Amino acid sequence: MKKVYVKTFGCQMNVYDSVRMLDLLKNLGYEETLILDDADMVIFNTCHIREKASEKIFSELGKYKELKLDRKKQNKSFVIIVAGCVVQAESEEFLNRAKFVDIAIGPQSYHRLPQMLFELQKKNKKRIIDVEFPAVPKFDSLPETKSRGVSSFLAIQEGCDRFCSYCVVPYTRGAEYSRLRDDIMREAYQLAESGTKELVLLGQNVNTWCEKDASGKIKKNLADLIEDLSQIDEIKRIRYVTSYPSDFSVDLMNMHKNNKKVMPYLHLPIQSGSDAILKAMNRKYTVSQYEDIILNLREKCPDIALSSDFIVGFPGETETDFDKTLSLVKRVEYAQSYSFMYSPRPGTPAAVLANQIPEKIKGERLEILQKLLLEQHSNFNKKFVGQCVEVLVEEKAKKKSELLGHSPHMQNVVVSADPKYIGSFISVKIVSAGATTLVGKLENNF
Ligand code: 5AD
Ligand code: SF4
């Protein structure tokens, strides 16, 4: 069997795409290896969202280049496939710098991988590049999938029409597209049959998922889809990311309240606590509209854990704007969060704004914000000390005798227990908690 090594940078959608590329390759007789030196082929799935992510790419590619040269000396082949958003956004520039890449595919065309490999190997093509947005959506031509653990990603929506002024996603992933309900259900059943107990539904703007009738009227929305998915017995937990505040519906709020399989965790990025910055970012809501959503949601589900993304140092962000972000954070109190320095991305409107903020100031603001957020995460987690939480055990933890899983509120939970519990729900009594992880003792399994 030929072996393929997969390296994924970036978001959960990239992780999902890598899994689906592996599904395609398995049908061609490849198996995955976690050891690069054993591989006959590498798939490198790239991320373009911030400059830092893009920077790391060339050092990673250097390793593959060396391996390819070594193999050449031994008269052996080593196929380098680069996929993902960097390829989509900068294919020409990128490929000029990386001449040793055999196949370059954008996120919308990876279903053509088998055909590309055929052309490369049987027709002796030198190099294949495909960054099209094909008319036939890739989801229609992907093979069956299997669970790769108890918690599985399932892409239900892709692309984004929001065009936030800092973001590359609408350019790299294209326009919003919803997969058909029946296709999603089929994939969910395949996953459930092969051991998935938790589904994480993915979409760049997941709230816009819908199915329309012939006249264009919405027949089903995300809440309806979640309801349908929750009828699958083996699926015990459902999550979804990423939500956009003004697309987050009352139906979804009610779903959190009424459907026990929908976990009490919501990632609802606000990005900034200043209305002026939100406007400059082309985010279509105000701070008070965002807080109204949170208020309503907390009325319905008082224990919900909230998470957000933040960008500091967006062009034109004043000290006052930044203070507004800090105040907003203090009012909301987040259980989790992700925060970044603004990174100008080529081709996005914000990158050419005149009033860019110096890196030093961005760094200082990020440090202040992260300190506050970490305190909040820690406070949230500490409330669980002494309580029993239900944990879905996913894998071995770093320390050998420990296992790692997630609580309903999406906290990492580490517990000393027999590996036989991997894949099961267990009850864990929490004994200590930090900003990122809860540590507990096994009470019993369900
Ligand atoms: N600079 C910094 N952060 C960004 N994000 C997206 N684009 C940029 C950028 N140019 C962040 C946003 C988004 C998350 C996935 O990445 O906070 O929600
Ligand atoms: Fe990017 Fe904005 Fe779309 Fe999110 S909503 S993917 S930040 S354009």
Side-chain angles (χ1 to χ4, degrees):
M1 251 192 170
K2 289 206 164 187
K3 291 190 171 150
V4 53
Y5 174 85
V6 184
K7 179 85 184 180
T8 308
F9 281 3
C11 64
Q12 291 147 318
M13 191 66 92
N14 260 16
V15 175
Y16 176 83
D17 288 346
S18 292
V19 171
R20 300 305 262 143
M21 284 189 266
L22 264 176
D23 288 337
L24 284 161
L25 290 174
K26 278 178 192 157
N27 283 352
L28 301 181
Y30 283 85
E31 69 174 2
E32 186 181 10
T33 174
L34 302 178
I35 305 162
L36 178 60
D37 281 336
D38 289 351
D40 306 285
M41 175 192 287
V42 59
I43 297 183
F44 183 25
N45 202 355
T46 60
C47 171
H48 195 57
I49 197 98
R50 284 170 295 275
E51 200 177 353
K52 256 200 179 150
S54 301
E55 265 170 18
K56 286 192 275 176
I57 285 168
F58 284 96
S59 67
E60 186 67 28
L61 273 173
K63 281 196 254 169
Y64 309 148
K65 184 183 174 184
E66 260 177 48
L67 206 61
K68 189 168 178 170
L69 289 173
D70 271 3
R71 294 285 167 88
K72 209 172 172 187
K73 281 182 205 151
Q74 302 163 29
N75 246 338
K76 287 185 186 157
S77 76
F78 183 68
V79 179
I80 303 180
I81 301 172
V82 184
C85 293
V86 171
V87 176
Q88 191 70 41
E90 297 183 13
S91 60
E92 225 168 277
E93 193 194 324
F94 173 77
L95 290 168
N96 281 340
R97 273 182 76 183
K99 292 226 159 40
F100 48 89
V101 169
D102 297 295
I103 295 180
I105 23 173
Q108 299 311 326
S109 32
Y110 65 74
H111 55 294
R112 293 186 185 154
L113 198 50
Q115 187 191 331
M116 290 182 218
L117 277 170
F118 177 79
E119 288 180 15
L120 190 78
Q121 287 163 346
K122 299 284 179 321
K123 297 198 172 168
N124 278 327
K125 275 206 179 169
K126 276 235 145 51
R127 155 185 260 202
I128 298 170
I129 299 160
D130 190 341
V131 288
E132 297 299 310
F133 283 87
V136 178
K138 69 175 174 225
F139 292 116
D140 294 357
S141 19
L142 291 177
E144 277 205 12
T145 194
K146 278 206 159 83
S147 143
R148 304 172 90 225
V150 277
S151 176
S152 295
F153 293 141
L154 202 179
I156 63 165
Q157 182 276 334
E158 204 179 348
C160 185
D161 296 345
R162 282 286 174 192
F163 288 93
C164 300
S165 62
Y166 51 82
C167 183
V168 287
V169 167
Y171 311 98
T172 57
R173 293 274 174 175
E176 282 169 9
Y177 167 82
S178 293
R179 284 181 78 186
L180 292 175
R181 177 217 173 255
D182 288 354
D183 292 346
I184 296 168
M185 293 301 291
R186 191 174 314 120
E187 193 169 322
Y189 275 110
Q190 285 165 10
L191 290 169
E193 270 165 26
S194 59
T196 291
K197 293 180 179 166
E198 175 180 273
L199 283 178
V200 184
L201 309 179
L202 300 181
Q204 264 95 27
N205 187 359
V206 74
N207 306 145
T208 62
W209 182 88
C210 64
E211 193 156 278
K212 293 179 177 162
D213 65 16
S215 68
K217 215 173 120 225
I218 292 183
K219 265 191 323 193
K220 280 191 180 269
N221 62 22
L222 178 60
D224 301 322
L225 176 70
I226 292 177
E227 186 61 42
D228 291 349
L229 288 166
S230 71
Q231 302 301 319
I232 304 175
D233 282 346
E234 293 85 348
I235 301 298
K236 309 290 184 203
R237 289 179 167 188
I238 300 178
R239 306 180 188 275
Y240 56 95
V241 273
T242 292
S243 293
Y244 184 91
S246 26
D247 292 321
F248 185 77
S249 67
V250 175
D251 283 354
L252 275 172
M253 275 188 209
N254 290 333
M255 181 70 43
H256 275 282
K257 182 174 177 196
N258 300 327
N259 190 324
K260 291 288 157 264
K261 290 190 178 179
V262 180
M263 291 294 100
Y265 168 85
L266 177 68
H267 182 61
L268 192 67
I270 185 163
Q271 312 293 358
S272 166
S274 154
D275 282 339
I277 295 298
L278 288 177
K279 195 154 184 250
M281 287 176 163
N282 196 30
R283 302 282 291 183
K284 302 286 186 197
Y285 53 85
T286 60
V287 175
S288 86
Q289 283 165 343
Y290 176 89
E291 289 193 80
D292 281 349
I293 298 172
I294 304 280
L295 205 74
N296 284 340
L297 186 63
R298 278 184 165 153
E299 245 167 48
K300 290 180 200 278
C301 328
D303 78 325
I304 197 154
L306 288 170
S307 161
S308 175
D309 292 339
F310 297 92
I311 297 177
V312 299
F314 184 82
E317 186 188 67
T318 60
E319 279 299 323
T320 317
D321 291 319
F322 177 61
D323 284 344
K324 287 183 179 170
T325 300
L326 296 178
S327 308
L328 174 273
V329 170
K330 285 177 192 154
R331 292 196 298 277
V332 174
E333 294 192 18
Y334 288 97
Q336 278 188 37
S337 66
Y338 305 85
S339 40
F340 316 98
M341 293 200 280
Y342 168 69
S343 165
R345 307 311 293 130
T348 58
V352 291
L353 290 176
N355 41 5
Q356 300 286 326
I357 305 293
E359 292 299 299
K360 186 167 171 282
I361 296 183
K362 285 189 210 172
E364 285 164 8
R365 289 183 186 167
L366 188 64
E367 211 182 307
I368 296 169
L369 177 63
Q370 288 186 335
K371 186 166 173 272
L372 174 63
L373 286 164
L374 278 178
E375 264 168 37
Q376 294 194 345
H377 305 170
S378 190
N379 291 343
F380 179 82
N381 288 341
K382 287 211 158 72
K383 288 185 209 149
F384 290 80
V385 174
Q387 286 185 32
C388 283
V389 299
E390 182 201 70
V391 175
L392 177 55
V393 185
E394 286 157 47
E395 57 192 347
K396 284 189 180 163
K398 274 190 196 137
K399 239 203 230 164
K400 269 210 179 119
S401 57
E402 291 179 339
L403 304 178
L404 177 71
H406 285 96
S407 71
H409 294 91
M410 198 59 196
Q411 295 142 305
N412 295 319
V413 183
V414 168
V415 56
S416 287
D418 193 297
K420 73 177 182 192
Y421 290 118
I422 293 176
S424 312
F425 286 96
I426 56 174
S427 175
V428 176
K429 180 142 190 198
I430 304 303
V431 291
S432 69
T436 56
T437 310
L438 305 178
V439 180
K441 277 193 194 143
L442 178 70
E443 280 279 297
N444 56 50
N445 61 324
F446 293 102

